[in-house]
């Protein structure tokens, strides 16, 4: 990958992708999460996805994408620790495969840059009708959170874990704030992002020089003042806290357990983290899957994941309501055994091989390549290729895995169960 700085906080990243018959252009705006702006940030991608100044009608935008051999456009907001990332991406066939020799790259870039920098405005502000339509969609999404009990349980656990910390700001905003959000407030939040966000433009399989010219034109007149980003963080250690929420209609209880590393993880530890998670609960060869689920039959599913940017390990499980306490004890026991007991060569290598296969498959899709390199950029430090990461992964030892897992302490358990579940704590 080649990375050059075009302006303060603005980078052009070119990734080799000539083996594909498609290309991809993405703009990633990364900025600090804001409690005051959280609901506006959540609403913004919904409004931007409707069109832009040269193509304000959603139907016309769909026709334009279809005319470009079925190009795909997406606008999304994701959370990355205490930062937010607003992404505009477009993908379509490469210029070399255009039937009439069209300059498709220029047209793709015009759409993506138009959505990002030239939204459809009415009297210098976002269209009121469009904003009201998307506010209703956001409201329904927030109201429907409780319908997915697994996701609801995880989010409730995170709310207890982070409290008022910046990492706990809701990515989807706050239901009570949606009705009062105005087009003017939304436009102010958008303008702030243009001024303060770090912008990474990712180009795969297209001519970066042509895109660079269009990007500079799109950003002309914007006074840039990039804001400091959060970097790696971690919640402090605390005595474990247990929460139970009893909801009608729950047949399979949901248990979420959160652990903190207490101190920020290092970028150099990422490959150790990957192997540790695969061994603990991130694969079908993990201790949680083989022992807690298969041998002890204490849960329907049980897996672990690690958010390295915030030093938070999550264990997510579906259990019988009357087995929640037993399942929690078994999960903690497996973590203790990994930290202090033997790790067999076979299980370690099985997990390592699975991760290496995953790294090899990244090159099979444009989105996989882009996600890899952009996450490397977000972590800071050296941007490594999947092959370089694979080499480091091969060198990770069981002692490193033990040492990393031993840094995590149990912080929060949240159980969503039935009123008849009988559990007073998870």
């Amino acid at each position: 990958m080649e990375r050059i700085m075009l302006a303060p906080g603005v980078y052009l990243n070119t990734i080799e992708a000539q083996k594909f018959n498609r290309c991809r252009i993405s703009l990633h705006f990364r900025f600090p999460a804001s409690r005051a702006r959280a609901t506006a940030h959540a609403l913004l991608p919904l409004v931007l996805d409707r069109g832009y100044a040269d193509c304000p009608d959603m139907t016309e935008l769909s026709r334009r994408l279809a005319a470009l051999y079925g190009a795909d456009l997406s606008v999304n907001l994701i959370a990355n620790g205490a930062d937010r990332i607003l992404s505009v991406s477009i993908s379509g066939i490469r210029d070399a495969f255009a039937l009439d020799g069209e300059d498709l790259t220029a047209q793709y870039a015009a759409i993506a840059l138009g959505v990002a920098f030239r939204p459809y405005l009415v009297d210098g502000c976002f269209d009121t009708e469009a904003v009201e339509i998307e506010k209703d969609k956001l409201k329904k999404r927030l109201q429907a959170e409780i319908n997915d009990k697994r996701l609801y349980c995880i989010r409730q656990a995170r709310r207890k874990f982070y409290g008022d910390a910046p990492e706990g700001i809701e990515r989807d905003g706050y239901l009570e704030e949606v009705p009062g959000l105005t087009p003017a407030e939304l436009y102010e939040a958008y303008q702030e992002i243009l001024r303060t966000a770090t912008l990474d433009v990712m180009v795969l399989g297209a001519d970066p020089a042509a895109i660079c010219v269009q990007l500079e034109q799109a950003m002309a007149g914007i006074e840039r003042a990039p804001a400091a980003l959060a970097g790696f963080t971690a919640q402090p250690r605390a005595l474990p806290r247990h929460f139970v929420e009893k909801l009608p209609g729950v047949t399979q209880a949901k248990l979420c357990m959160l652990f903190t590393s207490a101190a920020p993880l290092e970028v150099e530890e990422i490959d150790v983290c990957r192997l540790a998670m695969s061994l603990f609960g991130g694969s079908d060869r993990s201790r949680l899957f083989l022992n807690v689920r298969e041998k002890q039959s204490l849960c329907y599913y049980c897996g672990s994941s690690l958010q390295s940017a915030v030093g938070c390990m999550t264990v997510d499980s579906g259990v019988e309501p009357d087995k929640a306490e037993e399942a929690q004890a078994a999960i903690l026991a497996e973590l203790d055994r990994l930290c202090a007991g033997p790790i067999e060569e076979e299980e370690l290598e099985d997990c390592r091989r699975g991760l290496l296969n995953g790294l090899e498959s990244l090159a099979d899709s444009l989105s996989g390549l882009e996600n890899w390199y952009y996450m490397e950029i977000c972590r800071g430090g050296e941007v490594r290729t999947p092959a370089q990461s694979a080499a480091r992964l091969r060198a990770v030892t069981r002692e490193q895995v033990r040492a990393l897992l031993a840094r995590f302490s149990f912080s929060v358990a949240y159980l969503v169960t039935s009123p008849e579940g009988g559990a007073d704590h998870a």
Side-chain angles (χ1 to χ4, degrees):
M1 185 191 79
E2 181 182 3
R3 177 176 167 86
I4 59 174
M5 186 171 73
L6 302 178
V10 180
Y11 302 88
L12 181 68
N13 306 278
T14 306
I15 301 171
E16 177 63 33
Q18 296 306 309
K19 75 173 186 178
F20 297 97
N21 61 9
R22 294 176 68 82
C23 64
R24 184 176 176 90
I25 303 168
S26 295
L27 293 85
H28 299 295
F29 297 85
R30 185 160 55 123
F31 52 93
S34 164
R35 176 60 186 86
R37 300 277 201 192
T39 307
H41 291 159
L43 182 62
L44 186 57
L46 302 179
V47 174
L48 292 179
D49 199 31
R50 296 177 62 88
Y52 59 104
D54 295 337
C55 195
D57 182 83
M58 294 179 68
T59 301
E60 178 58 31
L61 177 59
S62 296
R63 288 173 179 165
R64 186 167 297 190
L65 293 169
L68 294 173
Y69 302 93
D72 296 316
L73 174 71
S74 64
V75 186
N76 297 294
L77 181 76
I78 67 170
N80 185 51
D83 293 330
R84 294 292 177 267
I85 301 170
L86 175 66
S87 300
V88 179
S89 299
I90 189 167
S91 61
I93 67 169
R94 287 169 46 200
D95 293 354
F97 299 96
L99 296 178
D100 297 317
E102 304 100 309
D103 185 356
L104 297 176
T105 297
Q107 296 183 69
Y108 298 149
I111 293 174
L113 292 168
V115 170
F117 292 102
R118 299 181 60 248
Y120 174 59
L121 304 177
V122 176
D123 297 327
C125 197
F126 285 116
D127 178 40
T128 299
E129 181 181 2
V131 170
E132 289 302 316
I133 291 172
E134 299 307 328
K135 281 169 60 175
D136 187 59
K137 292 181 182 177
L138 179 59
K139 178 181 176 181
K140 290 177 179 177
R141 178 198 297 176
L142 291 168
Q143 290 172 331
E145 177 191 78
I146 198 169
N147 295 336
D148 184 337
K149 299 300 188 293
R150 181 177 184 179
L151 178 61
Y152 176 74
C153 181
I154 294 172
R155 289 183 172 178
Q156 287 288 80
R158 283 173 47 84
R159 288 161 185 149
K160 299 297 183 182
F161 181 75
Y162 291 114
D164 295 330
E167 295 85 350
I169 295 172
E170 298 288 348
R171 183 202 63 180
D172 293 333
Y174 298 84
L175 180 60
E176 66 274 13
E177 296 176 359
V178 175
L181 186 59
T182 67
E185 291 171 330
L186 186 64
Y187 189 65
E188 288 176 5
Y190 164 72
Q191 289 289 319
E192 183 179 55
I193 290 173
L194 294 187
R195 291 192 307 272
T196 65
T198 295
L199 171 59
D200 276 283
V201 180
M202 314 293 289
V203 180
L204 299 88
D207 179 13
I211 295 169
C212 183
V213 172
Q214 289 178 271
L215 175 63
E216 290 174 343
Q217 292 172 346
M219 296 191 67
I222 298 176
E223 296 183 5
R224 295 278 299 158
L229 298 168
F232 280 32
T233 62
Q235 294 299 301
R237 283 190 174 87
L239 292 175
R241 294 175 294 152
H242 301 80
F243 303 90
V244 176
E245 185 172 358
K246 297 187 176 184
L247 298 175
V250 173
T251 55
Q252 182 187 116
K254 309 299 180 183
L255 172 65
C256 182
M257 301 167 63
L258 299 183
F259 302 73
T260 181
S261 63
L265 298 170
E266 300 292 335
V267 175
E268 292 75 17
E269 296 178 304
I270 294 301
D271 295 300
V272 181
C273 293
R274 292 188 176 112
L275 187 53
M277 282 306 97
S278 181
L279 190 59
F280 180 42
S283 70
D284 60 5
R285 299 297 301 169
S286 70
R287 293 285 183 92
L288 295 184
F289 182 88
L290 294 177
N291 295 337
V292 180
R293 181 185 185 275
E294 296 293 292
K295 291 182 181 179
Q296 300 179 59
S297 300
L298 290 175
C299 57
Y300 298 96
Y301 61 86
C302 188
S304 69
S305 61
L306 175 62
Q307 295 77 49
S308 58
V310 289
C312 175
M313 181 170 69
T314 301
V315 175
D316 167 33
S317 182
V319 300
E320 291 286 351
D322 59 354
K323 290 186 177 181
E325 291 187 40
E326 190 178 355
Q328 177 179 298
I331 290 166
L332 293 173
E334 290 302 329
L335 181 58
D336 288 342
R337 291 189 187 101
L338 272 176
C339 293
I343 298 176
E344 300 297 330
E345 185 71 16
E346 182 179 0
E347 64 176 335
L348 186 69
E349 294 308 315
D350 280 348
C351 291
R352 197 192 313 267
R353 279 192 294 270
L355 291 170
L356 290 172
N357 289 337
L359 288 172
E360 289 180 3
S361 68
L362 286 171
D364 294 339
S365 72
L366 291 172
S367 60
L369 278 173
E370 180 192 336
N371 290 339
W372 170 268
Y373 282 105
Y374 185 59
M375 286 298 103
E376 285 287 299
I377 290 169
C378 289
R379 290 189 183 102
E382 177 189 2
V383 175
R384 291 179 290 167
T385 67
Q388 289 172 325
S389 186
R392 295 173 70 109
L393 181 61
R394 291 187 182 95
V396 174
T397 66
R398 69 190 71 199
E399 289 75 23
Q400 288 176 302
V401 168
R402 283 199 191 96
L404 184 129
L405 287 174
R407 289 164 56 184
F408 285 90
S409 61
F410 182 31
S411 182
V412 167
Y414 201 95
L415 178 68
V416 175
T417 189
S418 66
E420 299 78 25
D424 293 321
H425 59 85

